[in-house]
Amino acid sequence: MGTGHRPVATDSPQFENWLRRFDRALEKRMQDRPSGFGNPWLQLALSVACVLVSEFLLKRGATQVADIGSAWSWTGVNGLASPLVWWAILLIVASFISWLYVLRYIPITIAFPLSRVVDILVPLGCWIFLGELISPLRWCGIALVVIGLALVAKPIAQIEERL
Amino acid sequence: MTFLAFFFIVVSLVSFVAAQLILKRAMEATKSAGFRNAQFVWKVIGGVILMTISFFLTLGLLQRFDLSYLYPFQGLSVIFITLMAAVVLKEKLSVRLTIGTLLISAGIVLVSLS
């Protein structure tokens, strides 16, 4: 059951047993997932891509129609006046449908942290496509997220290899 | 940041976390009972309502604050959802997952602070 690659060395048989049970539960969950377009990992990637584009559209749309003086603007409803916000909503609905599908097959403790890859894709997108500078502190943050994502994703990759 | 802004950030965060947990429950239920059952429909409706509340509050906040200012709070959602999924949904939480989740959250906060 591939527990030899665990990053945490332990002499406790109870703890090892618990880790093995975690692996087995995850493997069982993964066995009955569909392949092709129905692959939940592909759907997770699609969901992330939709969220990424919608974040840019929302920010631009919200600032286009900003009316800070109005008390109603706290509700965000006046943002609907921007067509960009409507495009963003369309993408959010698409990502939501993909996300529901992901939730059916992948534990949320794994799927949600992985979905936050979008938080580094936004600044990286600004750097690559808009030529914005990334400060050293921001690079550190991106590195932390990448290490965190690798830690969350590694057990999944090992299980996928075995299936 | 005013008390009102803090209040709306917290409400937005709580409704988002609650929505994710309810939707996960709804989709879990479809495995045994399929999609044509009242439990699934009500849970999805509840989840969508909570997500909508969170969405409009975020839109309202975006009109006042920079995206980078609001992002650390989104980073917190990773920790809250992982913790609540372990407590409420009884999902197993390994040491590796916990460390990974904490690193992702810390990274998101650093990215938005810079």
Side-chain angles (χ1 to χ4, degrees), chain A residues 18 73 99 103-104 119 151, chain B residues 20 24 30 71 93 96:
Chain A
W18 183 75
S73 67
W99 181 244
L103 286 183
R104 196 164 191 231
D119 295 325
L151 279 179
Chain B
Q20 292 295 332
K24 177 66 182 165
T30 62
Y71 244 72
L93 199 59
R96 185 199 287 263

Side-chain angles (χ1 to χ4, degrees), chain A residues 36-82:
Chain A
F37 189 69
N39 186 323
W41 302 111
L42 175 67
Q43 292 296 326
L44 182 59
L46 278 178
S47 173
V48 165
C50 289
V51 171
L52 177 65
V53 180
S54 73
E55 289 278 1
F56 284 111
L57 292 176
L58 271 185
K59 177 58 189 164
R60 188 164 277 192
T63 36
Q64 258 181 4
V65 294
D67 177 20
I68 295 167
S70 157
W72 272 101
S73 67
W74 275 110
T75 64
V77 177
N78 63 327
L80 294 176
S82 164

Side-chain angles (χ1 to χ4, degrees), chain A residues 20-40:
Chain A
R20 221 169 283 136
R21 277 216 312 273
F22 175 78
D23 262 8
R24 229 175 283 142
L26 194 59
E27 190 161 346
K28 191 171 176 293
R29 182 78 68 98
M30 309 275 293
Q31 267 169 346
D32 52 0
R33 59 126 177 82
S35 56
F37 189 69
N39 186 323

